[in-house]
Amino acid sequence: MADETKDIFETVEEDYEFLDTVELDGDTYFMLIPATDSEEIDGEVFIMKLVEIDGEEMLEGVDDGELFDRVYNIFKENNKDEFEFLD
């Protein structure tokens, strides 16, 4: 990953690095981590849902714990060979 260009999502509060997308029940979710210069992921993963507001696509945080777990479990299954999961 060191030689790859990192995809960054810029927000007002923080920059994020894109890990993957997950499709669930017709919705698209983005798996993000805080952007750093380090190659190590500290375990903090954010799940953002792609929503349309007033005709504009935006990312919205997933606050529902059950939905978060469902999306995260799909992400883990899809990326079990790419990442080492500690949970």
Side-chain angles (χ1 to χ4, degrees):
M1 188 182 226
D3 296 332
E4 295 177 20
T5 302
K6 293 182 178 181
D7 293 317
I8 304 294
F9 285 82
E10 294 181 18
T11 68
V12 174
E13 300 169 4
E14 194 171 356
D15 291 342
Y16 295 94
E17 183 177 344
F18 170 78
L19 295 177
D20 199 5
T21 57
V22 170
E23 299 288 329
L24 177 66
D25 299 332
D27 292 315
T28 301
Y29 298 88
F30 288 78
M31 309 301 293
L32 308 170
I33 57 170
T36 66
D37 293 331
S38 172
E39 290 299 314
E40 298 222 2
I41 297 173
D42 71 1
E44 187 174 27
V45 175
F46 294 91
I47 298 176
M48 307 292 278
K49 180 179 178 181
L50 183 63
V51 296
E52 188 173 315
I53 299 175
D54 296 328
E56 188 174 333
E57 289 185 332
M58 304 179 91
L59 295 179
E60 176 179 273
V62 173
D63 296 326
D64 179 314
E66 183 179 319
L67 177 59
F68 186 98
D69 290 343
R70 288 179 63 207
V71 173
Y72 186 67
N73 286 332
I74 293 169
F75 168 72
K76 286 192 320 185
E77 180 63 29
N78 292 346
N79 292 279
K80 62 185 172 197
D81 296 330
E82 183 75 23
F83 300 106
E84 180 181 341
F85 297 96
L86 302 176
D87 52 46

